[in-house]
Amino acid sequence: MSDGYMWFEGVPFPTAGFTPEVLREARESFALKDEDVLLLTYPKSGTNWLIEIVCLIYSKGDPKWIQSVPIWDRSPWVETEHGYNLLKDKEGPRLISSHLPIQLIPKSLFNSKAKVIYLTRNPRDVLMSGYFFFGASTFSKKPQSMEEYFGWFIKGNVPYGSWFDHTRGWMSMRGKENFLILSYEELKRDTRSIVEMISQFLGKKLEPEELNSVLKNSSFQVMKENNMSNFSLLRGQFLDEKNGILLRKGITGDWKNHFTVAQAEAFDRIFQEKMADLPRELFPWE
Ligand code: PPS
């Protein structure tokens, strides 16, 4: 606690919205059902973009739902107090979000046929996105400089712990029939094909005009204007009024505008050290 995080089993969490009791109960007792869909990411990987897309696939492109219900109530976070309480009594197929590392996810996942989508992103862009977001938050530890945040990220001293451990943990599920791995980079590069792949994976066929509406309503510009999805409802309480922005840039490679040459080289070395034994195609960025 004293270092600005709420630690649970060696993993740092933000201090607001999380308790050891809920984290423990979620892992031990939360029952995933075969018809549930679990959207998994490390923070700042494009989670909310994925949630928006999946909600729109479920509504067949009709934007009414995404325009009237906050994004965290449409696909609640199983590890937060708010999300857990919503989910545990919810009937029917549920959309569920989580940033949890594999060792903290509800154990019932491993005996269920629930469909899981794991979205990855270039960790350098994840780092930059987190630097700006947590720097403008009131619920998590704030870095004083990019250099400081870079050090925290490398050590895993950021919300939900190490990107490297998180990614390695979840990648061990690759190849399972109910597990789809996607990347933010592929989603940016060919949004239409990836959205079609997601709808196929979820068994939800879309007509061409429905697909067009999913694409339009989940686009960066439209989502940035949607107060149910852009986190503007959190400003004042959890996010800084001016700089607390979820949809900041929405691009790939922004890290190049911020990393020093020394940081870029250090990051390459660490990535190589920690991830070299995994297939290169799991990381489809430059
Ligand atoms: S969080 O707070 O961890 O749940 O954040 P998360 O949603 O995972 O990631 C936020 C980044 O995703 C970008 N984003 C998008 N990019 C493209 N298109 C759309 N529609 C979109 N929605 C969110 C968002 O801009 C954050 O990235 P950065 O690099 O900070 O812009």
Side-chain angles (χ1 to χ4, degrees):
M1 268 291 196
S2 56
D3 72 345
Y5 292 120
M6 195 281 292
W7 288 81
F8 180 75
E9 305 211 352
V11 178
F13 288 88
T15 46
F18 298 84
T19 66
E21 292 72 29
V22 168
L23 286 165
R24 198 168 297 114
E25 193 176 318
R27 185 183 51 183
E28 300 302 323
S29 315
F30 184 77
L32 273 149
K33 304 175 196 165
D34 289 349
E35 65 272 23
D36 289 337
V37 173
L38 181 58
L39 306 175
L40 277 175
T41 57
Y42 183 84
K44 312 318 296 179
S45 302
T47 329
N48 289 278
W49 188 13
L50 177 64
I51 298 171
E52 201 81 328
I53 289 169
V54 171
C55 289
L56 283 160
I57 290 175
Y58 269 71
S59 69
K60 295 203 161 286
D62 183 340
K64 274 205 284 300
W65 192 31
I66 65 155
Q67 289 169 352
S68 57
V69 181
I71 194 157
W72 47 83
D73 288 349
R74 284 182 257 129
S75 181
W77 297 83
V78 68
E79 63 265 29
T80 65
E81 276 186 293
H82 177 81
Y84 186 75
N85 288 324
L86 276 180
L87 285 169
K88 70 179 194 306
D89 304 320
K90 201 160 184 257
E91 294 293 321
R94 298 169 294 186
L95 298 182
I96 304 171
S97 302
S98 182
H99 287 318
L100 286 172
I102 194 165
Q103 73 275 15
L104 298 182
I105 206 73
K107 288 179 173 167
S108 59
L109 172 66
F110 303 102
N111 298 316
S112 94
K113 296 196 181 80
K115 289 187 176 152
V116 180
I117 304 179
Y118 186 68
L119 182 70
T120 60
R121 186 182 190 186
N122 186 335
R124 299 161 186 86
D125 286 330
V126 167
L127 188 159
M128 284 325 306
S129 183
Y131 167 66
F132 288 110
F133 185 76
F134 296 120
S137 79
T138 55
F139 66 94
S140 192
K141 193 167 152 181
K142 277 178 188 245
Q144 296 305 314
S145 66
M146 163 60 185
E147 204 182 342
E148 182 176 49
Y149 192 76
F150 188 92
W152 293 355
F153 189 90
I154 295 298
K155 287 198 205 93
N157 202 358
V158 285
Y160 291 89
S162 157
W163 180 91
F164 303 97
D165 294 348
H166 198 280
T167 307
R168 291 190 74 86
W170 282 114
M171 289 296 184
S172 70
M173 297 284 283
R174 68 188 185 279
K176 298 229 180 323
E177 206 186 325
N178 61 335
F179 200 83
L180 178 67
I181 298 180
L182 299 173
S183 71
Y184 182 93
E185 287 70 22
E186 294 166 301
L187 190 54
K188 275 296 289 188
R189 210 164 30 234
D190 194 357
T191 316
R192 179 175 290 268
S193 306
I194 301 293
V195 169
E196 279 182 306
M197 188 189 287
I198 296 172
S199 65
Q200 216 165 37
F201 175 71
L202 297 176
K204 305 270 173 202
K205 190 171 163 15
L206 293 175
E207 296 304 325
E209 69 279 9
E210 294 169 345
L211 175 61
N212 287 339
S213 180
V214 173
L215 293 170
K216 181 178 131 210
N217 287 295
S218 62
S219 69
F220 185 83
Q221 281 320 323
V222 173
M223 234 184 115
K224 197 174 168 66
E225 297 301 314
N226 181 358
N227 287 336
M228 293 296 131
S229 309
N230 62 14
F231 283 19
S232 57
L233 297 175
L234 301 181
R235 286 202 201 118
Q237 197 186 358
F238 294 110
L239 293 174
D240 185 276
E241 283 290 358
K242 187 162 153 269
N243 299 317
I245 292 166
L246 176 72
L247 288 102
R248 187 183 59 93
K249 276 197 175 172
I251 59 169
T252 57
D254 190 38
W255 66 273
K256 292 177 196 159
N257 299 318
H258 299 279
F259 278 31
T260 62
V261 172
Q263 284 170 336
E265 287 174 0
F267 203 100
D268 286 352
R269 260 196 320 275
I270 293 156
F271 189 91
Q272 192 59 21
E273 241 169 66
K274 294 191 185 265
M275 311 304 271
D277 57 319
L278 290 172
R280 187 69 192 86
E281 62 270 19
L282 292 177
F283 310 116
W285 44 81
E286 67 303 332

